[in-house]
Amino acid sequence: MTAPAIELKGISKAFGPVQANKDISIRVMPGTIHGIIGENGAGKSTLMSILYGFYKADSGEIYISGKKTAIPDSQAAIAAGIGMVFQHFKLVENFTVLENVILGAEDGARLGPSLSKARKELTQLAKEYELNVDPDALIENIGVGMQQRVEILKALYRQADILILDEPTGVLTPAEADHLFRILEGLKAQGKTIILITHKLREIMEVTDTVSVMRRGQMTATVKTSETSPQELAELMVGRKVLLRVDKKPAQPGNKVLEVENLEVVDEKGVKRLKGIDLNVRAGEILGIAGVAGNGQSELLEVLGGTQTATGTVRVNGQEIDLTGALSDARSRRARGIAHVPEDRQREGLIMDFKAWENVAFGYHHEEEFNAGLLMDQAAIKEDAVGKFKRFDVRPDNPMLEAKSFSGGNQQKIVLAREIERNPELLLIGQPTRGVDIGAIEFIHQRIVELRDAGKAILLVSVELEEILSLADRIAVIFDGQMMGERLPTETDEKELGLLMAGMTGQEREAS
Amino acid sequence: MDFLTLLQILDSSLRLATPLLFACLAGLFSERAGIFDIGLEGKMLAAAFLSAAIAAVYGSVWLGLFAGLMASLSLSALHGVASITFRGNQLISGVAINFLASGMTVLVAQSWFSQGGRTPPLQGSGRFQEITLPFADALSDVPIIGQFYAEVISGHSALVYIALLAVPLSWYVLFRTRFGLRLRAVGENPAAVDTAGVSVIALRFAAVGICGVLCGMGGVYLSTGLDAGFGREMTAGRGFIALAALIFAKWRPWHALYATLLFGFLQAIALRPDVIEALLGFKVQVQLLKALPYILTVVILAGFVGKAIPPRAGGEPYVKER
């Protein structure tokens, strides 16, 4: 019997009182794709950081191809044949592909020979694995899919036999993700071992041979992919039954609450980020905006939320709103009944170093109920926060803590509680469940649907197609600052949306 | 203005540009590695003082040079420990170094020499001697080119030539060697270097060390080449002008040479108000002429030279993330 490519025995790691990994053992056989799945904070990243030499395990042993191996730093991990593709790429933006590939793996003090050797090898690898990239392109000028291929090339150039990919499809379109999976299949066929870390059940089912589930620092199960189901995996991850689909009644659309006509945004570099957007959202419905990050959906939210100027016409309940002048700020928007849950909750939604109760009042802090004469009425704000924490099930149930001490899901609940409880006419919500656990996702989705059923208009922006498909009543696809068309979730699928997100219209699709 | 006057002004431009060039290249190495250094001024000042003091006492400029480099390097080490090891704020560390150097040099100079914070004037082997390049005398009669060679290129101290050679050398090291690739990478995205299995800390200390050596040479040249002895605050903001030149040069060695030559030229014409008067036909206040390099500094820093993008990880201490 062949030795496992990687075997972990009893790995434990604690950060202070938090046990990130508890007695973890797994075996990954060579030439297989092994999935590791779990909620945020389940300990997946810690485990991989230990494998890549970022952390030292408190106890436990690592065996590579049957040999006990110590991995004190990344250098040792590379030497042991481990390559890692991080969720956030570790590339130097203004270097060429070639320079990034050889960085740290140069052959001598002079660059010339290393570069020409790497150029030859890259051509070879491109042929073998569908890893085509222009070696002389600057990283900042190529797309994320291409950048990810550079990361894989980096690992292969260092002779990696074991490739670890951390949430590799988060930034990819469905078509790019399919390309990635083809590459992984090709690598597997060459005998490479691949560990795929993800929270997307679909990917696990599609490409892995075996899958391990982590929950609260422990490995709860390792099963053959062919012998399990998404439902079973979800339950193993969360530890209870979960609804993977949102349970909702058909929408009862009313009047048009939001009407947008010919909206254009030019950024500070003079680049048009929105090129004439037309859309409308009715009361009692959710309009989902699907698209790959960076195609203008952020700008759309910013304009409507009042943090970005634009040209065009936007009407709320039939009345035009100011897009450039003194009344184009976020406070005026709130006064018009627009609430905004921003895409990046840590940078725009919350002030991480402030207390949770202070965060709960932000944006509405000038309102009478929170003020007593010249001073703020702290007691009233705190009382309000306690109520919101209860109703939104924020854990830990203590608004006196700083915002940064809550998990991603609970931070999102704090922002949601603040915005939804103001009973807005229109809720703008960006990436509502990015970095949020399955359990909390369920709760957040239910709250959004409740708001819809209360007759409010909701504009949902998400890069997660699954979320859009299950939550939205209508779906509009944005690409390169333009609307590619609208679909009903019942009459479309991920494939069609994926092509629209990549900017392909009907005719091109025939050709592709 | 006759040709000879022009040559004299160019000659003096080159001398005055030399300390700026050293400091500018010093800043270039440091900032390319992601460590902002506004302590160039303080390091130059410390090197200027200690080299002049040692050269005055022992009568050897080479001992002085060594002492100057040590002074600058120890301040570099301080900056490195504060901003790399302890991840402190690089600007505050730089400001502290400037204050430290400004106060300590005068204090120690007064206690050692009791000459009002100056060192005794340097003579003979206590200064860098001017080197006459080969054929300078023979060629000085050849019009234009020969005169230029003899008057402007020839006749400087060794440090001027070292500074000029440091330009192509810096370019080669930064853009054609493994060390340079890693150094530039660490200033752009240290995480990329770290995950490639290369030590971020070692690279940054190396860069700060190079910065210390170059800065030290600039300071030593001030007190033992350009001048003959140390005087209170003799750097006169050159460290900051060098930073402006660095932005002007957009962190590129050859452009650093051009930028510092421009500043050197402005300083040189401030020394010749008579020429300016003859050229313009009216008298320009000397104070205004002297302020020209500083005015240019403000203009550059205000962004009138186009977009200058500093190294992306500049000023940020590197913390490993999960």
Side-chain angles (χ1 to χ4, degrees):
Chain A
M1 190 187 135
T2 48
I6 292 189
E7 182 168 15
L8 302 179
K9 284 186 184 170
I11 297 281
S12 292
K13 172 79 188 170
F15 296 101
V18 183
Q19 190 78 35
N21 282 168
K22 213 183 298 174
D23 191 26
I24 289 189
S25 301
I26 60 172
R27 299 156 66 98
V28 180
M29 299 310 286
T32 63
I33 301 183
H34 187 101
I36 294 185
I37 190 166
E39 295 190 290
N40 291 296
K44 298 172 300 204
S45 299
T46 306
L47 186 64
M48 291 308 123
S49 298
I50 289 170
L51 252 181
Y52 201 64
F54 267 21
Y55 295 131
K56 203 179 165 315
D58 299 335
S59 62
E61 291 165 347
I62 301 171
Y63 292 82
I64 307 282
S65 303
K67 270 200 304 262
K68 189 176 167 184
T69 311
I71 304 182
D73 52 31
S74 304
Q75 192 89 62
I78 294 166
I82 299 174
M84 181 112 175
V85 176
F86 291 88
Q87 188 177 1
H88 304 286
F89 303 143
K90 311 289 183 190
L91 297 170
V92 182
E93 293 262 307
N94 57 0
F95 277 19
T96 64
V97 169
L98 213 50
E99 287 172 324
N100 269 288
V101 167
I102 65 163
L103 180 64
E106 307 89 343
D107 290 306
R110 280 173 52 238
L111 278 186
S114 307
L115 286 169
S116 47
K117 181 187 152 205
R119 188 183 295 276
K120 260 185 234 137
E121 243 176 84
L122 240 50
T123 330
Q124 185 66 29
L125 288 168
K127 254 189 245 149
E128 255 174 87
Y129 302 110
E130 259 195 272
L131 282 162
N132 294 312
V133 282
D134 172 8
D136 298 310
L138 290 177
I139 296 298
E140 58 197 357
N141 294 339
I142 62 178
V144 279
M146 201 80 100
Q147 292 182 0
Q148 190 170 54
R149 271 170 250 161
V150 177
E151 284 284 15
I152 296 173
L153 282 169
K154 262 168 75 176
L156 295 178
Y157 186 74
R158 288 162 171 75
Q159 316 286 329
D161 287 319
I162 301 158
L163 200 59
I164 305 171
L165 295 106
D166 190 4
E167 300 282 0
T169 58
V171 289
L172 303 181
T173 63
E176 283 175 320
D178 287 341
H179 186 174
L180 172 69
F181 295 151
R182 279 204 305 281
I183 293 170
L184 296 185
E185 294 288 352
L187 290 167
K188 176 179 141 183
Q190 295 285 322
K192 308 270 184 198
T193 308
I194 291 157
I195 298 181
L196 182 67
I197 303 168
T198 181
H199 66 271
K200 292 184 185 163
L201 295 166
R202 187 179 71 92
E203 289 166 12
I204 289 285
M205 298 308 293
E206 219 166 274
V207 292
T208 61
D209 298 307
T210 47
V211 52
S212 297
V213 183
M214 287 189 75
R215 173 153 50 94
R216 295 199 193 137
Q218 282 174 304
M219 201 63 95
T220 50
T222 296
V223 289
K224 276 213 165 72
T225 311
S226 52
E227 292 167 5
T228 185
S229 67
Q231 191 63 43
E232 187 193 8
L233 288 175
E235 281 173 36
L236 283 167
M237 276 164 72
V238 185
R240 63 179 167 82
K241 281 214 176 292
V242 283
L243 287 170
L244 288 180
R245 281 258 153 186
V246 183
D247 197 19
K248 61 170 192 186
K249 297 190 288 276
Q252 309 279 330
N255 298 328
K256 282 183 189 169
V257 173
L258 175 72
E259 293 165 274
V260 174
E261 279 166 29
N262 196 25
L263 192 68
E264 299 210 330
V265 168
V266 178
D267 69 10
E268 65 261 37
K269 286 183 195 154
V271 180
K272 261 195 191 177
R273 306 308 301 258
L274 290 182
K275 304 171 179 171
I277 297 281
D278 295 307
L279 58 84
N280 61 70
V281 189
R282 291 173 179 276
E285 75 164 355
I286 301 173
L287 174 70
I289 309 272
V292 180
N295 275 292
Q297 57 270 68
S298 306
E299 286 77 7
L300 179 63
L301 283 180
E302 284 165 10
V303 168
L304 297 174
T307 53
Q308 162 84 50
T309 55
T311 57
T313 316
V314 175
R315 278 188 293 274
V316 174
N317 281 331
Q319 279 184 307
E320 205 169 307
I321 60 172
D322 190 1
L323 291 178
T324 48
L327 292 178
S328 68
D329 61 338
R331 184 158 164 176
S332 313
R333 292 285 196 277
R334 287 208 168 87
R336 298 291 291 272
I338 303 175
H340 183 192
V341 178
E343 289 184 294
D344 188 340
R345 73 183 79 93
Q346 304 199 338
R347 274 182 41 214
E348 293 160 16
L350 297 165
I351 300 181
M352 300 298 277
D353 290 326
F354 278 29
K355 308 281 187 210
W357 64 266
E358 293 171 311
N359 274 293
V360 167
F362 283 147
Y364 306 99
H365 51 276
H366 52 277
E367 293 192 356
E368 215 166 290
E369 60 180 294
F370 291 150
N371 288 279
L374 272 181
L375 302 176
M376 301 204 75
D377 187 350
Q378 294 206 359
I381 301 175
K382 283 178 188 165
E383 198 189 303
D384 177 67
V386 169
K388 287 197 164 87
F389 266 53
K390 235 180 228 117
R391 290 187 292 277
F392 276 77
D393 189 30
V394 182
R395 286 179 243 177
D397 179 19
N398 180 5
M400 305 306 150
L401 296 174
E402 286 167 356
K404 66 182 173 197
S405 50
F406 292 87
S407 73
N410 285 300
Q411 287 173 0
Q412 188 70 313
K413 285 183 190 170
I414 294 174
V415 181
L416 272 178
R418 178 177 76 205
E419 303 299 337
I420 287 183
E421 291 223 336
R422 286 284 138 180
N423 210 12
E425 293 296 312
L426 168 67
L427 178 71
L428 310 170
I429 182 160
Q431 319 300 349
T433 55
R434 178 186 278 170
V436 171
D437 310 339
I438 288 195
I441 289 177
E442 202 185 353
F443 180 89
I444 290 169
H445 283 175
Q446 278 166 0
R447 280 305 161 109
I448 295 173
V449 171
E450 266 172 36
L451 192 71
R452 179 200 77 166
D453 291 343
K456 308 300 181 186
I458 294 164
L459 181 76
L460 164 76
V461 167
S462 175
V463 291
E464 301 284 349
L465 270 185
E466 259 178 84
E467 175 163 60
I468 297 257
L469 277 165
S470 66
L471 211 50
D473 301 309
R474 276 189 299 136
I475 300 172
V477 180
I478 193 167
F479 170 74
D480 194 25
Q482 286 168 307
M483 284 300 173
M484 301 298 294
E486 269 188 31
R487 297 287 184 274
L488 291 176
T490 45
E491 292 167 10
T492 186
D493 54 21
E494 294 206 4
K495 203 169 164 203
E496 187 190 18
L497 293 176
L499 289 170
L500 287 171
M501 282 161 65
M504 286 186 223
T505 52
Q507 303 83 27
E508 289 167 72
R509 224 175 301 152
E510 305 298 320
S512 69
Chain B
M1 181 174 62
D2 56 38
F3 187 60
L4 206 61
T5 317
L6 178 68
L7 288 183
Q8 282 169 358
I9 290 179
L10 289 181
D11 178 65
S12 141
S13 301
L14 186 55
R15 287 168 202 273
L16 289 162
T18 296
L20 294 174
L21 181 55
F22 272 126
C24 193
L25 290 174
L28 196 145
F29 272 97
S30 186
E31 297 208 352
R32 278 279 189 175
I35 304 291
F36 283 158
D37 193 352
I38 58 168
L40 297 175
E41 176 87 0
K43 286 203 270 282
M44 278 211 283
L45 196 62
F49 164 69
L50 204 64
S51 62
I54 297 296
V57 174
Y58 294 98
S60 160
V61 71
W62 295 105
L63 263 184
L65 173 67
F66 179 75
L69 294 186
M70 284 302 120
S72 173
L73 267 174
S74 43
L75 289 180
S76 267
L78 189 65
H79 189 53
V81 169
S83 59
I84 305 170
T85 311
F86 292 110
R87 299 183 196 132
N89 186 306
Q90 297 168 9
L91 296 184
I92 291 177
S93 166
V95 169
I97 284 171
N98 286 339
F99 277 125
L100 190 68
S102 156
M104 287 294 283
T105 48
V106 178
L107 179 79
V108 177
Q110 180 61 21
S111 125
W112 284 358
F113 303 109
S114 306
Q115 295 189 4
R118 312 182 133 269
T119 60
L122 299 173
Q123 292 149 351
S125 61
R127 282 193 72 195
F128 273 101
Q129 300 305 310
E130 288 168 358
I131 298 171
T132 307
L133 293 183
F135 315 119
D137 287 334
L139 287 171
S140 64
D141 293 333
V142 180
I144 316 273
I145 297 177
Q147 284 174 306
F148 184 78
Y149 180 75
E151 285 290 326
V152 180
I153 307 290
S154 174
H156 295 288
S157 72
L159 285 176
V160 175
Y161 299 114
I162 291 175
L164 291 176
L165 286 177
V167 175
L169 192 66
S170 299
W171 174 83
Y172 184 80
V173 167
L174 280 170
F175 296 97
R176 287 293 179 270
T177 68
R178 171 176 63 189
F179 173 72
L181 182 79
R182 291 175 176 186
L183 188 137
R184 285 182 293 130
V186 91
E188 291 288 334
N189 185 356
V193 175
D194 193 21
T195 51
V198 181
S199 166
V200 172
I201 290 182
L203 270 173
R204 287 194 159 168
F205 264 107
V208 168
I210 294 171
C211 170
V213 170
L214 288 169
C215 235
M217 299 236 206
V220 171
Y221 179 71
L222 271 181
S223 63
T224 63
L226 199 60
D227 236 322
F230 173 83
R232 169 194 288 258
E233 300 289 353
M234 76 180 303
T235 44
R238 282 186 172 87
F240 295 103
I241 293 180
L243 281 180
L246 184 57
I247 293 169
F248 198 14
K250 299 186 176 154
W251 295 269
R252 293 170 297 186
W254 284 106
H255 292 76
L257 173 65
Y258 310 144
T260 49
L261 280 176
L262 174 63
F263 277 108
F265 179 72
L266 289 180
Q267 290 182 340
I269 58 171
L271 299 175
R272 297 295 299 267
D274 55 318
V275 175
I276 299 294
E277 194 179 345
L279 217 57
L280 295 179
F282 57 87
K283 196 169 157 56
V284 181
Q285 290 288 316
V286 181
Q287 286 83 351
L288 182 64
L289 290 177
K290 286 206 159 149
L292 275 182
Y294 304 95
I295 293 171
L296 180 63
T297 303
V298 172
V299 169
I300 289 172
L301 292 180
F304 286 112
V305 293
K307 206 165 161 62
I309 302 163
R312 259 161 261 210
E316 295 286 326
Y318 178 59
V319 184
K320 238 179 214 196
E321 56 181 319
R322 271 200 244 182

